[in-house]
Amino acid sequence: MKRLISSIIIGISAVCIASAQELYTVEKCYELSETNYPLIKRYSLIDITEEYTLKNAYMHYLPQIQITGRAFWMPKESNVFTGPPTVYGADGEILNVMPRDQFNVGIEVSQVLWDGGEIAANRSHIRAEHAVLREQQNVNMYALKERINDLFFGILMIHMQLQQIDLLEHDLSVNLDRIKASIAGGVANLSDQDVITVEQLSAKQNRVKLESMCEAYLKMLSLMTGAEIVSPEQLIKPIPQEVNKREFLQNLMLADIRRPELALYDVQHLEIDTKHKYWIAGGLPKIRLFAQLGWGRGYNLFRPNPGMDLVAGVRLTWNISELYSLGYGKNIIASSKEQIETVRETFLYNTSLQSQEMIATINRYFRIMEDDDELIRLREKIRKSAEVAVENGAMSASELVRIRNQEELAKQDKILHEIELMKSLYGLKTIKNN
């Protein structure tokens, strides 16, 4: 009885402490874990990278500046153009021949007039690439929900198991006192006392193991959420009692799968399309305005001495070899899209299997809880009969305590099964992201 009173006092103290601390739902733990997770910083890094990459791609619309230089020498055996009219020196030397050693250095400024849409296609592809990175990040962050479910409901179940051990230890203590009295009266053996002592030690070991697990789970949940969660009393059971859990299950079964993986597959399709457009644009002609200012020998074929020259005009370039790979590019695009669709179908198939498995587990708990209600009803009936027997002197008070503990243990089992049911319902909710 002293241990029972101590357990009650400890429980009341825990409730009082928890009431002074913040309470947490599983949904709130989801939110806190997402904001506290180190990878959350990757979202801002993706945005920054996208911004700078887009700006870098836009720079190709601005005038491009190049500094060039070259120097070369042609041997006498080369057929050098002299150009009419030929001018001879006093000794008969040709004066206006192109110099065999040429050098020049200059600067060129060019402005794109039409690039076949290559810059715009590149910017679209950059946006699609970073959209894929964001959705991959969403998939990584979504995995936190499963870990939160395991910790949150694990703590609730361990807490309930510890309450069951309280009842067991009290029952064993009552039986031990009764056996000691029987030994003193010469109607029981010391071996009977040893049996109870062994059961007490086993219960104590289970308590130590469960308390250690509960402490570890609380620390892990606190680290993941960044919140100070030190007691199971701070966790609020999801799905209030007044909510019809069978209706809750039906709504989940009818709901569509809205996992972030599906959004990832969509943006991967978009990325492939933008890549194809970029390839096509790369095979179209390019038109640019240009102006060259240079100094050297060789710019002007009719001037053998070094000098300054300015050239301006329009340049057309067309890398026709890019067209060679367009046919293969279409095959690559089609194959890549088919791979994505295969991955999507596989994901939906596996997710449907997980959903059906979880639904079977939930239905099993519904049936178990129906038996729990019948078991509690029978235990209550036995307890009421025992109370009458005690009043008539046909049963000892210690036996009544044991029967009451069995009734309470049946009620605790139902609560434990209810927590397992809620964990399974939230597991299905997580699988479908609903």
Side-chain angles (χ1 to χ4, degrees), residues 46 50-51 53-55 57-58 119-134 267 270-271 274:
I46 292 173
E50 180 183 15
E51 179 184 357
T53 309
L54 286 172
K55 286 182 178 179
Y58 185 80
I119 298 175
N122 186 30
R123 284 168 60 85
S124 296
H125 183 59
I126 291 170
R127 293 190 184 95
E129 281 183 328
H130 286 80
V132 170
L133 292 177
R134 288 190 191 89
V267 295
L270 178 62
E271 181 192 15
T274 58

Side-chain angles (χ1 to χ4, degrees), residues 398-411:
S398 60
E399 183 66 17
L400 175 60
V401 171
R402 187 184 66 81
I403 292 174
R404 281 179 175 173
N405 285 344
Q406 288 179 341
E407 180 187 356
E408 188 62 29
L409 188 61
K411 293 179 180 178

Side-chain angles (χ1 to χ4, degrees), residues 281-342:
L284 296 177
K286 312 292 187 294
I287 301 176
R288 284 178 173 271
L289 289 176
F290 74 94
Q292 293 179 342
L293 177 64
W295 178 89
R297 184 163 59 192
Y299 273 113
N300 191 331
L301 300 181
F302 300 99
R303 186 184 63 211
N305 298 321
M308 187 74 69
D309 289 281
L310 175 64
V311 179
V314 179
R315 178 184 294 129
L316 170 67
T317 58
W318 190 359
N319 187 1
I320 300 178
S321 61
E322 291 288 340
L323 299 176
Y324 300 161
S325 60
L326 285 181
Y328 295 104
K330 289 181 180 180
N331 294 332
I332 294 173
I333 295 299
S335 177
S336 299
K337 286 188 173 183
E338 188 175 350
Q339 289 181 34
I340 293 173
E341 285 306 308
T342 301

Side-chain angles (χ1 to χ4, degrees), residues 323-377:
L323 299 176
Y324 300 161
S325 60
L326 285 181
Y328 295 104
K330 289 181 180 180
N331 294 332
I332 294 173
I333 295 299
S335 177
S336 299
K337 286 188 173 183
E338 188 175 350
Q339 289 181 34
I340 293 173
E341 285 306 308
T342 301
V343 174
R344 184 201 295 269
E345 291 174 4
T346 303
F347 171 77
L348 290 173
Y349 177 79
N350 291 333
T351 304
S352 297
L353 287 181
Q354 289 178 334
S355 299
Q356 293 303 317
E357 183 179 358
M358 193 61 70
I359 290 170
T361 301
I362 293 169
N363 287 325
R364 184 175 72 249
Y365 281 122
F366 276 130
R367 291 193 296 270
I368 290 174
M369 290 180 65
E370 289 175 358
D371 294 337
D372 285 337
D373 291 334
E374 178 64 16
L375 184 60
I376 292 172
R377 187 187 68 79

